[in-house]
Amino acid sequence: MQHDLANLVRVPLSSPEVSGGLHDDHLWLWEAYSFAGGLVTVRELLDELMAAGLPQRVGHLGACFRKGLLVKFAAEGDIWIPRFQFTRSYTVREGVTRAIAVLQHSFPEHQIALWFCTSNIWLHDAAPMDVVELKSEQVVWAARWDAMGAAEH
């Protein structure tokens, strides 16, 4: 079963934000997410779903991708997706999608990726990615507070 990646990827791979080299933010993201399950490209994720016998998850993840409800960032000619946000059955954790839904009106995609791996005062200095599985409601509230703070500036 073949899937057209063009339907999943919003940013053309030739765009400056994807084709450029790694910036300091990207290096921080690579390092931070390496301790939380690592990163996967869109192609690798699709290959994993097929190998795991879960082709039905492609539609779910594609819908989340198109709506901007996945933590992701563009670097080194690809779209990178942190693994922390997935359950074992490759669904996106509800706390992640709800927090992104709040943040996406105030922050660009790469800042949302930074937000999830940066310590947060509203979460007692834990990074949202580290607590979203068990404390999703608190992560959503932290997103609301930070989005309100961004809107005021």
Side-chain angles (χ1 to χ4, degrees), residues 14-82:
S14 61
S15 74
E17 79 180 78
V18 178
S19 59
L22 288 176
H23 302 287
D24 288 343
D25 283 353
H26 294 127
L27 293 173
W28 168 252
L29 289 167
W30 282 85
E31 185 173 329
Y33 285 124
S34 69
F35 295 106
L39 296 160
V40 64
T41 65
V42 173
R43 167 54 62 200
E44 291 167 340
L45 183 58
L46 290 174
D47 290 346
E48 284 179 26
L49 290 170
M50 295 302 127
L54 296 169
Q56 68 278 13
R57 293 287 186 249
V58 173
H60 163 75
L61 293 175
C64 288
F65 197 101
R66 284 187 298 279
K67 293 175 185 174
L69 297 177
L70 277 179
V71 178
K72 60 187 181 302
F73 63 95
E76 294 295 295
D78 226 326
I79 303 295
W80 295 91
I81 303 169

Side-chain angles (χ1 to χ4, degrees), residues 94-137:
E94 182 183 354
V96 171
T97 58
R98 290 179 56 215
I100 293 172
V102 171
L103 294 168
Q104 69 186 174
H105 300 290
S106 301
F107 299 107
E109 200 168 74
H110 75 280
Q111 285 184 339
I112 292 172
L114 285 168
W115 185 87
F116 271 96
C117 65
T118 305
S119 64
N120 189 293
I121 192 168
W122 308 113
L123 300 171
H124 304 286
D125 293 326
M129 71 177 180
D130 294 332
V131 297
V132 71
E133 182 177 2
L134 299 175
K135 299 180 178 181
S136 63
E137 203 57 43

Side-chain angles (χ1 to χ4, degrees), residues 102-103 105-107 143-153:
V102 171
L103 294 168
H105 300 290
S106 301
F107 299 107
R144 287 182 181 134
W145 282 109
D146 288 341
M148 283 192 311
E152 291 175 0
H153 292 76

